[in-house]
Amino acid sequence: MAQTIDDLELENPLVEGLERLPVHPTSLVIFGATGDLAHRKLLPALYNLAHEGQLPERFEMIGVGRRDHEHEEFRDTALDSIQHYSRRGADPKVLEGLLNDMRYIQGSFDEDRVYEELGRTLVEFDDQAGRTLNRIFYLSTAPEFFPLIAGKLGAAGLNEVENASTRIVIEKPFGYDLASARKLNAQLLDVFEEPQIFRIDHYLGKETVQNLLALRFANVLFEPVWNRNYIDHVQITAAEDIGIGGRAGYYEGAGALRDLVQNHMLQLLALLTMEPPTAFDANRLRDEKLKVLEAIVPPEVDQVASMALRAQYGPGTVGGVHVPGYREEPGVAPDSRTPTYAALRLHVSNWRWAGVPFYLRTGKRLARKLTEIAVILRPVPHVALQSSGSVGIQANQIVFQLQPDEGVSVSIGAKIPGTRMRIRPVNMEFRYGTSFLSESPEAYERLILDAMRGDATLFTRNDEIEALWGIIDPILNAWDEDTTSSIPQYESGSAGPVQANELLDEGTIWRRL
Amino acid sequence: MSEDVWAKQDTDPDEIEAAMRGLLFRRHAENEALIPVRVLNLVVIVDRQWRGEISNRLERVGRYQASRTVLCAVEEGRTTLDAVATVHYEEPDAGGIGLVREYVEIDLGPEHLAAIETIVDPVLAGEMPTIAWAPHGHSDAVMRMLPLIDVILLDSDDLPDPLEAFARAKRLFGRAYVVDLAWLRTTPWRERLAASFDLPQRLAALRRVARLEVRHQELSAASGLLLTGWLASRLAWEVEPLVHEGSRVLHGTARRAGGDVALCMRTYDQDAPGLAGVTVTGELGSSLSLQRGDGGLDAEERIFDGPLREWKILGASRGEGGILGEGVRQALLRDPTYNPALEAAQELCPR
């Protein structure tokens, strides 16, 4: 449709109809630029964005790290990252263009010199561009450095800039518990305004996670049954077949609850149970998530044992290979009480969900790698069809699979061909690979672009963070206080501890991994 | 990539469809992790002597392969149907799925085109959109297939006269959704211009454009006109036919609120089809120029009283294979800005 000239005063008329929305010129500063996340995810994601022409017209990158590198050495490291981990083969000219102006600043994050040099380099980039570029500080560091770096950026006057936007991106974990999360939020908000802070949870950048919203709110088919009247229970599973690898230092302090439940799994629960937002914008979406998170009543200390279970993997066999138990892993204390498995039974106390149990489980060294949300509907009220010789009618299930394949399946009862009315469940499957021509972008590509655009829809707000910790904190406290009871052990390569069955209502079983 | 093949001479559509179903059934029975892709059908009508070139182009679209491709190769003098049906698949990783794509090639004669829809219809996979592409003409056959198809893929750069090409696109637009490869060649340029003028400092200048120059490869005049038409339609310019200035330049004037815009389209020597560059100049002499280069676009900006700034905007060329793939992918989307741009481009064509 043709524009009128009056429209031009309000908005950019060239954006209509385009798939890729504009991104303004940006300088991106990665703290921890020589770390694992930058190596495996951030630098390859930036290359892919460059390859597809999605980076802003002016894009500059500065790496900050403690390793002693010259600019050239850092570029070589970045080249290696891109060549190993990019989802597409590198175009030499694009690669050269991306790496050419990449800078590296070596130093400890507490050194004023680092921030002075950073400030000078950012101004140099602005001068080259003839305009002030937006600035993003991406903290890909250990969490103890978040307040330090934010404070130093503030002290150096880098927390804001005239005529452009400044944003800070924080990787998880956002705090260690509710108190530390509140403290971290306060420290960040001392330097930055909330709209400047982008707390990244890469699960929210996954297509299937966003598709939860599409499936719920773009189809009339599901919403009528999306409530306590039709849904029996929900199981959210994040199973890994690997152990802790070389991350004992991190994992001993974190454990399964902090590693996956407090952030990713509760975010999934929020998206699954929230009310429809009036519009798909950052604050309205996050308002609805917050409401439902606040409706999850945290347990009292004496209720924890009946609604939460922790366990550790013992020795076992995974993929035909014998593996050690958690307490035998290098760097792990032989008497460690850190859980590598956690299962919870939660309730959302609102009109829609009252009485529906939500079962969450996550663990390492389980039988297979699988992340899914299974919505199990109530059984039909009267069974007239079932006859012997079949597995019979089973409750419908809607399963959102996030890993290893992304997709959705709906199980329905169907008649087995033959003369008798015998029923068995069959699946209607939707797989991204078979239903779309495009491949899903890496979550980090989407999220980095969103941060550059200033779109916080898929990032976590401070009050959400505190609500998430508010659910988990009592469980952590109860587990910390209990220093004597034994921690259940499960065999590596198994489906997890049998004690997890005790969390389930009678007649309910965990889905097979 | 593995494949199963069925072939028969002097066959009929029902037999071809049954063969496809059989190939899929057997493949799935042997490995239930092999799943047919179900996104869209692509029907291609080609002259048989050029089908190799078209097959090569289709192979280069990479991941944007249609789920089921039905290639009808028209051969002079032929009176019977010969067909080859193939299912291509990749063996899945453990626990994963393998995608199966289907390819049917039917050799037919010119007389069959009079009832082409009755040959194609039984061979299409159901419950998914169908896109038709006839790169060697055969417009009557496309018209006959209109009841079967949702999207027509065409290339306005294919015809030597853009006016004729745009008239064709406009005629078809009311009958099915049109995906124009000439339009898709402008996509990175439209995205880049939209991003460049999204900056508050430049957004205001959009209202005071004084001159627009679009540079295009010799055979891509339609792309150049569509880009110009897009800017005209988005910025509410009134346009009139451009006039020739020698064999390589078109020029003219558009009217906008508060002034005129000098328009210039210039043929540029480059191998790759599509656009070569664009320069937007404001009333006060500021200009932004984007020029195709290695590894992206070479940008130049001159603020009226400031220095000339040059830099590189990164991005890899998609190539013609990528353009065709994008055309297939666009069949699933709808671009509301194409038709207004097409109408403006029609107005701009020299008479």
Side-chain angles (χ1 to χ4, degrees):
Chain A
M1 185 176 294
Q3 296 276 298
T4 68
I5 199 67
D6 292 338
D7 296 332
L8 304 186
E9 295 179 13
L10 303 174
E11 58 187 18
N12 179 352
L14 304 184
V15 171
E16 173 78 20
L18 296 178
E19 277 191 86
R20 293 175 181 168
L21 298 174
V23 189
H24 288 191
T26 301
S27 290
L28 173 68
V29 181
I30 300 180
F31 285 88
T34 55
D36 195 52
L37 179 70
H39 181 57
R40 288 171 180 270
K41 296 290 182 185
L42 303 183
L43 291 164
L46 287 169
Y47 173 76
N48 286 324
L49 291 173
H51 187 105
E52 293 185 356
Q54 295 203 65
L55 286 179
E57 65 169 42
R58 290 271 192 177
F59 176 77
E60 308 291 354
M61 204 204 104
I62 305 168
V64 181
R66 287 175 289 179
R67 284 191 200 156
D68 195 9
H69 278 325
E70 293 299 322
H71 298 307
E72 262 318 310
E73 288 172 291
F74 177 62
R75 285 173 204 145
D76 289 344
T77 307
L79 176 67
D80 183 56
S81 303
I82 292 163
Q83 285 177 335
H84 272 90
Y85 295 107
S86 167
R87 68 186 165 93
R88 58 169 75 250
D91 177 305
K93 291 291 181 187
V94 177
L95 195 54
E96 183 187 327
L98 181 68
L99 297 178
N100 258 355
D101 281 337
M102 219 176 246
R103 306 289 181 87
Y104 183 73
I105 298 175
Q106 186 278 328
S108 297
F109 302 136
D110 59 351
E111 285 182 85
D112 291 341
R113 173 190 63 79
V114 167
Y115 300 87
E116 288 161 11
E117 191 177 340
L118 181 56
R120 280 195 301 274
T121 311
L122 288 168
V123 169
E124 187 190 325
F125 287 147
D126 292 348
D127 289 344
Q128 280 172 15
R131 58 171 43 89
T132 310
L133 307 183
N134 286 348
R135 294 171 180 180
I136 293 189
F137 300 106
Y138 196 121
L139 274 51
S140 170
T141 67
E144 58 264 32
F145 295 115
F146 295 168
L148 171 69
I149 295 169
K152 288 284 185 185
L153 288 169
L158 295 172
N159 54 330
E160 57 185 356
V161 63
E162 209 170 328
N163 298 324
S165 301
T166 300
R167 302 180 187 113
I168 185 166
V169 179
I170 310 277
E171 273 287 341
K172 75 165 181 117
F174 317 107
Y176 185 77
D177 53 20
L178 179 58
S180 63
R182 282 180 173 151
K183 187 176 172 192
L184 177 59
N185 273 336
Q187 288 166 321
L188 292 172
L189 290 166
D190 220 23
V191 181
F192 294 93
E193 302 287 331
E194 176 60 29
Q196 292 180 281
I197 304 171
F198 287 68
R199 299 170 189 83
I200 211 163
D201 181 336
H202 72 271
Y203 257 49
L204 297 182
K206 287 180 179 287
E207 285 292 335
T208 312
V209 175
Q210 295 164 55
N211 197 40
L212 264 173
L213 297 174
L215 198 96
R216 285 193 57 199
F217 303 133
N219 297 289
V220 76
L221 183 65
F222 299 106
E223 194 55 22
V225 301
W226 218 254
N227 56 57
R228 64 188 305 276
N229 297 322
Y230 293 95
I231 291 179
D232 184 77
H233 70 279
V234 173
Q235 296 186 21
I236 304 179
T237 300
E240 294 179 286
D241 54 359
I242 56 171
I244 56 165
R247 298 198 309 150
Y250 159 74
Y251 204 84
E252 272 285 88
L257 212 52
R258 289 187 180 92
D259 191 41
L260 277 172
V261 178
Q262 180 272 336
N263 35 61
H264 306 324
M265 297 181 77
L266 287 180
Q267 284 283 358
L268 295 181
L269 176 56
L271 292 169
L272 190 82
T273 55
M274 63 183 251
E275 294 300 315
T278 51
F280 192 67
D281 70 36
N283 275 331
R284 278 184 257 204
L285 183 76
R286 295 187 297 182
D287 286 346
E288 294 302 338
K289 277 165 49 187
L290 180 64
K291 271 191 231 168
V292 81
L293 288 170
E294 287 178 341
I296 299 173
V297 181
E300 299 294 332
V301 171
D302 61 354
Q303 295 173 319
V304 168
S306 62
M307 55 75 65
L309 174 83
R310 60 179 161 168
Q312 288 176 329
Y313 63 81
T317 303
V318 177
V321 177
H322 179 77
V323 295
Y326 179 67
R327 289 175 175 175
E328 298 151 27
E329 296 274 18
V332 174
D335 58 350
S336 170
R337 298 178 66 78
T338 300
T340 63
Y341 178 98
L344 305 182
R345 173 199 171 100
L346 296 173
H347 285 275
V348 179
S349 298
N350 64 16
W351 192 289
R352 188 192 281 260
W353 296 112
V356 177
F358 291 84
Y359 302 112
L360 282 63
R361 62 177 165 165
T362 180
K364 290 196 171 290
R365 283 262 193 261
L366 293 172
R368 58 184 287 229
K369 179 179 182 175
L370 174 76
T371 305
E372 67 169 29
I373 302 167
V375 178
I376 290 89
L377 276 70
R378 292 186 184 282
V380 291
H382 172 67
V383 181
L385 301 173
Q386 188 174 11
S387 66
S388 61
S390 74
V391 295
I393 296 173
Q394 296 188 353
N396 300 121
Q397 301 190 6
I398 304 166
V399 180
F400 299 85
Q401 195 171 59
L402 279 74
Q403 289 189 93
D405 289 316
E406 293 188 75
V408 184
S409 74
V410 178
S411 78
I412 54 174
K415 180 183 174 296
I416 299 170
T419 55
R420 298 180 65 187
M421 183 55 85
R422 295 182 300 179
I423 308 292
R424 79 167 180 87
V426 295
N427 281 349
M428 294 198 296
E429 301 264 1
F430 152 64
R431 304 287 184 111
Y432 273 85
T434 61
S435 301
F436 292 104
L437 295 167
S438 319
E439 60 183 358
S440 300
E442 276 285 311
Y444 274 100
E445 292 171 32
R446 165 75 195 261
L447 294 172
I448 289 170
L449 265 189
D450 281 359
M452 285 198 277
R453 280 197 200 106
D455 181 351
T457 307
L458 300 179
F459 294 81
T460 316
R461 208 167 55 191
N462 58 345
D463 46 8
E464 264 183 273
I465 290 288
E466 292 179 16
L468 291 164
W469 277 117
I471 298 162
I472 294 300
D473 225 33
I475 304 168
L476 288 170
N477 290 339
W479 285 356
D480 285 347
E481 284 168 17
D482 172 14
T483 56
T484 54
S485 66
S486 64
I487 307 284
Q489 304 286 305
Y490 59 96
E491 187 181 349
S492 284
S494 71
V498 291
Q499 293 91 331
N501 295 333
E502 294 165 17
L503 297 176
L504 305 175
D505 277 352
E506 192 177 343
T508 301
I509 56 170
W510 288 106
R511 280 170 55 82
R512 197 168 68 188
L513 286 181
Chain B
M1 184 73 80
S2 307
E3 62 182 36
D4 297 341
V5 182
W6 169 93
K8 188 160 184 216
Q9 294 182 329
D10 195 8
T11 183
D12 61 58
D14 286 344
E15 208 171 19
I16 300 168
E17 192 277 335
M20 286 302 297
R21 212 155 13 92
L23 287 173
L24 287 172
F25 182 83
R26 279 194 295 280
R27 186 48 42 211
H28 186 68
E30 283 177 24
N31 185 347
E32 64 180 15
L34 287 171
I35 300 172
V37 176
R38 283 293 171 258
V39 184
L40 53 81
N41 295 297
L42 171 63
V43 181
V44 188
I45 302 176
V46 297
D47 291 338
R48 193 169 189 280
Q49 66 266 38
W50 305 115
R51 72 165 180 189
E53 181 207 339
I54 298 301
S55 295
N56 288 340
R57 283 183 73 181
L58 288 170
E59 276 176 23
R60 289 201 300 270
V61 304
R63 63 176 180 269
Y64 297 133
Q65 297 279 356
S67 317
R68 178 174 289 188
T69 301
V70 180
L71 187 138
C72 301
V74 185
E75 185 179 20
E76 282 299 326
R78 172 175 283 280
T79 56
T80 58
L81 300 180
D82 292 353
V84 179
T86 313
V87 293
H88 303 272
Y89 55 93
E90 286 177 2
E91 292 293 348
D93 298 330
I97 58 170
L99 304 181
V100 181
R101 286 189 165 83
E102 303 132 59
Y103 189 89
V104 185
E105 190 167 316
I106 306 172
D107 290 341
L108 44 76
E111 288 180 9
H112 290 116
L113 294 179
I116 183 77
E117 73 279 14
T118 63
I119 295 170
V120 169
D121 194 1
V123 186
L124 298 177
E127 302 296 328
M128 58 183 184
T130 298
I131 181 168
W133 182 37
H136 301 145
H138 302 298
S139 54
D140 289 347
V142 172
M143 297 305 279
R144 291 204 66 87
M145 288 197 303
L146 279 173
L148 307 180
I149 60 183
D150 305 276
V151 179
I152 295 171
L153 184 67
L154 52 78
D155 187 350
S156 289
D157 282 326
D158 270 353
L159 297 182
D161 180 2
L163 188 61
E164 188 187 334
F166 295 150
R168 176 185 65 174
K170 190 68 190 162
R171 207 166 47 242
L172 291 169
F173 199 82
R175 314 286 296 272
Y177 182 68
V178 171
V179 173
D180 188 344
L181 299 183
W183 172 246
L184 299 185
R185 290 188 188 96
T186 71
T187 303
W189 301 87
R190 288 183 283 122
E191 288 175 345
R192 219 19 110 177
L193 287 169
S196 293
F197 284 97
D198 201 57
L199 293 173
Q201 305 92 320
R202 291 192 191 134
L203 187 55
L206 268 187
R207 303 177 66 223
R208 295 191 292 277
V209 173
R211 186 170 190 279
L212 170 71
E213 178 178 294
V214 175
R215 298 174 288 280
H216 60 87
Q217 194 240 28
E218 187 177 7
L219 300 176
S220 299
S223 292
L225 286 162
L226 283 167
L227 183 74
T228 309
W230 170 70
L231 278 166
S233 61
R234 300 311 306 160
L235 299 175
W237 298 347
E238 286 176 27
V239 293
E240 57 190 34
L242 301 175
V243 294
H244 286 284
E245 183 181 298
S247 61
R248 294 168 66 86
V249 176
L250 290 171
H251 70 87
T253 304
R255 271 165 298 285
R256 60 165 170 78
D260 287 347
V261 183
L263 303 177
C264 176
M265 280 186 49
R266 197 177 290 279
T267 301
Y268 190 86
D269 292 328
Q270 70 175 20
D271 293 334
L275 301 181
V278 58
T279 302
V280 182
T281 308
E283 270 179 352
L284 300 177
S286 299
S287 67
L288 176 70
S289 179
L290 305 175
Q291 184 70 28
R292 188 183 174 116
D294 286 339
L297 301 179
D298 296 318
E300 276 185 12
E301 183 177 30
R302 185 185 290 283
I303 307 295
F304 68 99
D305 58 351
L308 178 71
R309 295 183 193 281
E310 299 172 304
W311 72 97
K312 171 75 82 180
I313 301 175
L314 299 175
S317 169
R318 292 175 297 174
E320 280 297 291
I323 298 282
L324 182 58
E326 186 63 17
V328 175
R329 193 179 75 89
Q330 287 289 327
L332 302 171
L333 304 171
R334 295 295 179 264
D335 183 345
T337 62
Y338 172 69
N339 193 39
L342 177 67
E343 289 174 351
Q346 276 184 298
E347 290 294 314
L348 286 163
C349 285
R351 301 302 200 269

